[in-house]
Amino acid sequence: MNKTGTVVAVSVSPTHTMLKENASRITLLQGLGVEGDAHMGTTVKHRSRVARDPSQPNLRQVHLIHAELLDELKAKGFTVAPGRMGENITTRGIALLALPTGTRLHIGNSAIVEVTGLRNPCTQLDGIKPGLMQAVLDRDADGNLVRKAGIMGIVLWGGEVKPEDAIRIVLPPEPHSPLKPV
C-alpha cells in the first residue's frame, strides 16, 4: 500500500449541502472537524444521524474522497469536481477505501485525521446528477456491496490543510479492521 499521497482540493460549507465550495485552505480543529463546516462538532451533525440520536459522537467530522474516484466517474459520464460530493478533502495517490479503521492521516504540517469508517452514499447524490448514487456503489467478487463515496474521520490534531499538502499514512497496530459505514 502506498504510504503517501497528496491533497488535491479542500472544501467547506456552513450549510448542509452536498456542494461544498473549494477553498485555498481549511482549518481542522481538534475533536471538532473543519472550521466553518456544517458538520463540525463533537456530536453528530448529519441530519439523518441527528434524527436518530443527537447525542452520538461525531465520527464524521471530516469527509475525504480520492480523486481517482472522480476520474472513474468521469469515464462513466459523470463529471464531478472536487467538493461536489460533500467532501472536505480530495486526495490523490492513496487507496482510501483500503485503509483499516484507526489509520492516521498526517496532513500538511500538523493536522492528523483518524479514519473512522466509510461514507455511506445517499440519494442526495442523485440531485447532483441522476444515477450518481448508483455509480458510487459496486459489488466485489463475492457479491458484497462496495461503497466508493469516500471515508470519514475525526480530527486528532488540528492544523491548516491546503492543496498540494502531503499526506502520510500511519497504519494502526494489527490486526486491522476493515472500514464499515459510519
Side-chain angles (χ1 to χ4, degrees):
M1 175 184 294
N2 192 6
K3 297 284 187 175
T4 62
T6 306
V7 174
V8 171
V10 294
S11 310
V12 63
S13 175
T15 60
H16 289 277
T17 177
M18 293 295 282
L19 306 175
K20 294 187 187 284
E21 292 298 321
N22 293 148
S24 60
R25 62 186 33 101
I26 57 174
T27 301
L28 301 186
L29 302 174
Q30 183 176 352
L32 294 173
V34 180
E35 183 177 48
D37 194 81
H39 299 108
M40 184 182 83
T42 58
T43 57
V44 292
K45 301 300 175 200
H46 286 78
R47 291 179 287 192
S48 63
R49 306 267 186 216
V50 170
R52 277 188 249 153
D53 178 3
S55 67
Q56 293 177 73
N58 188 2
L59 301 178
R60 300 159 58 127
Q61 295 174 356
V62 182
H63 179 194
L64 300 95
I65 284 184
H66 47 298
E68 292 82 356
L69 173 64
L70 304 181
D71 298 341
E72 178 186 325
L73 290 171
K74 187 173 185 177
K76 292 180 178 180
F78 298 92
T79 301
V80 182
R84 297 308 187 243
M85 289 198 301
E87 77 273 19
N88 301 109
I89 301 174
T90 310
T91 68
R92 185 166 295 280
I94 299 173
L96 293 178
L97 305 178
L99 296 173
T101 302
T103 297
R104 292 184 176 183
L105 302 174
H106 294 250
I107 309 172
N109 291 330
S110 62
I112 302 173
V113 173
E114 182 173 280
V115 177
T116 55
L118 293 169
R119 170 78 166 102
N120 201 20
C122 69
T123 56
Q124 289 179 326
L125 290 172
D126 286 338
I128 298 167
K129 186 159 185 182
L132 185 57
M133 181 177 155
Q134 192 58 45
V136 298
L137 296 171
D138 208 348
R139 297 274 175 189
D140 66 15
D142 297 325
N144 299 310
L145 185 63
V146 176
R147 294 165 178 88
K148 300 190 287 186
I151 63 171
M152 307 303 282
I154 58 172
V155 181
L156 293 184
W157 195 261
E160 186 178 272
V161 176
K162 59 190 181 316
E164 299 185 20
D165 275 351
I167 304 169
R168 185 172 54 89
I169 299 169
V170 178
L171 296 174
E174 294 198 27
H176 292 161
S177 299
L179 297 177
K180 295 180 182 166
V182 294

